[in-house]
Amino acid sequence: MREDEEGFLYPLVDTTLCVNCGLCEKVCPVSHQANSREPLSVIAARNNDEKIRSQSSSGGIFTLLAEKVIREGGMVFGARFNNHWEVIHDYTDSIEGIAAFRGSKYVQSNTGDCFKKAEYLLKQGRIVLYSGTPCQIAGLRNFLQREYDNLITVDVICHGVPSPFVWQKYLKEETACLFRRRKLFRPFSINDIRIVGISFRDKIITGWKQYSFALTFSDKRGDEFCYRKTHDENIFMRGFVSDLYLRPSCYNCPAKELKSGSDITIGDFWGIEHIMPHLDDNRGLCCLMVNTERGLKFVNGIDAVKHNANYKDIVRYNPSIQHSAKIPAQRVEFFTSLPQKGMLHTTKQLTREPFILFCRNTIHRTLKRLGLR
């Protein structure tokens, strides 16, 4: 796999070793797309454990699914941060290990050799829960080339995956900015601070709907401090929701409309205040779409708060299920300006709101925080 100038990995064929077997073409999830589907069942669901729910992006259902597999002697695959805060795919067979997979990571993960590891475990008869984006699940299923009764696949409602290179530039620049501000109050070197926690969907202060992006740092004295901004104020999240630096294939995703072949799809139950307002407590709620009989049997075995829902309602408030992101006009300008102007400056310039819209949104956010709207 080789990284391109935008920071995305692509396969590079060694033509001196290739025997022209055609297997890479046979398993390509773009060339061999499945048919569109609708789920067998749609459920509004949440975890009964409020602590787990508070640590999760929405309702904490992934944790329940993962715990069930591990208690049955299985293995769970998911996305986690490594020591450099890069997003990678990994696996665990412990309840404690699930915590690293909990919560959204709005960066494309490096799957490494997880497909091979999953196949090995499946052939050994172990139960495997593999979670990922729809394209990753489609890729896994094509790679395996056969059905396994001991495999549970779980994908997420995906908006698109940002560039890992852009993500690392953001962390470096944001850390430097925060260091300069904090240095005014306490003299120390930038090497004396390090990131110890990241949450793309922090709900502690602003709740589930107006979630925040949070970076937690530790300095040389061991003191921790947290940088927290709402998702519409944080620069990285603004660029993400503006689709500035998604992978090019995300603008024409081959795995929309539940074509990934997953057993279960999970995501945020946006719009719940209009559909089932009695469930809206702003602490997080999952929409749980069960796509196969295997998935239905599995979901029936978890202890969660569940309410039947309608697929059309899910799609109405979460269109990413069916529609790809649109290529923004500023995308080329972003990657052209990035090397000279940096990530923070470039993103801020290209996502700046018109003044009238800025005033309106500021008033709206202020009223919301004061509980007047």
Side-chain angles (χ1 to χ4, degrees), residues 68 72 74 77 126 161 196 255 297 304 311 318:
K68 177 174 170 58
E72 294 177 5
F77 287 76
R126 296 280 297 274
V161 289
V196 294
K297 182 179 178 181
Y311 181 56
N318 214 326

Side-chain angles (χ1 to χ4, degrees), residues 109-267:
S109 68
N110 188 336
T111 57
D113 60 354
C114 279
F115 283 11
K116 288 183 179 181
K117 291 176 180 176
E119 182 182 43
Y120 173 80
L121 292 166
L122 289 167
K123 288 181 176 179
Q124 297 298 309
R126 296 280 297 274
I127 300 173
V128 170
L129 185 151
Y130 200 102
S131 63
T133 60
C135 60
Q136 288 174 336
I137 298 302
L140 171 67
R141 288 175 54 81
N142 284 17
F143 168 81
L144 294 173
Q145 297 188 74
R146 54 160 285 197
E147 291 290 331
Y148 286 88
D149 292 335
N150 50 329
L151 173 65
I152 299 291
T153 52
V154 179
D155 61 6
V156 295
I157 301 173
C158 182
H159 177 80
V161 289
S163 160
F165 170 70
V166 172
W167 166 243
Q168 289 297 313
K169 280 191 69 66
Y170 164 74
L171 287 181
K172 184 177 181 179
E173 293 181 24
E174 191 74 272
T175 300
C177 283
L178 292 170
F179 162 73
R180 286 194 294 269
R181 294 176 206 160
R182 195 165 179 82
K183 192 178 180 183
L184 295 174
F185 303 99
R186 183 186 298 171
F188 58 97
S189 165
I190 192 170
N191 295 322
D192 293 330
I193 64 171
R194 61 188 180 93
I195 300 172
V196 294
I198 295 177
S199 175
F200 287 93
R201 298 284 301 277
D202 184 86
K203 299 185 285 188
I204 293 175
I205 295 177
T206 50
W208 169 51
K209 296 174 188 173
Q210 187 68 8
Y211 59 87
S212 299
F213 175 91
L215 283 175
T216 303
F217 293 87
S218 176
D219 62 23
K220 63 180 179 181
R221 299 184 183 182
D223 296 334
E224 291 190 358
F225 56 99
C226 185
Y227 158 86
R228 182 183 283 109
K229 283 195 174 182
T230 58
H231 64 277
D232 51 351
E233 294 172 332
N234 173 260
I235 295 297
F236 181 83
M237 293 301 293
R238 274 169 53 179
F240 168 55
V241 299
S242 299
D243 308 324
L244 268 184
Y245 30 77
L246 303 183
R247 189 179 180 94
S249 57
C250 294
Y251 303 112
N252 188 23
C253 177
K256 293 294 182 183
E257 301 178 290
L258 305 179
K259 291 194 291 186
S260 70
S262 67
D263 297 298
I264 301 166
T265 301
I266 56 178

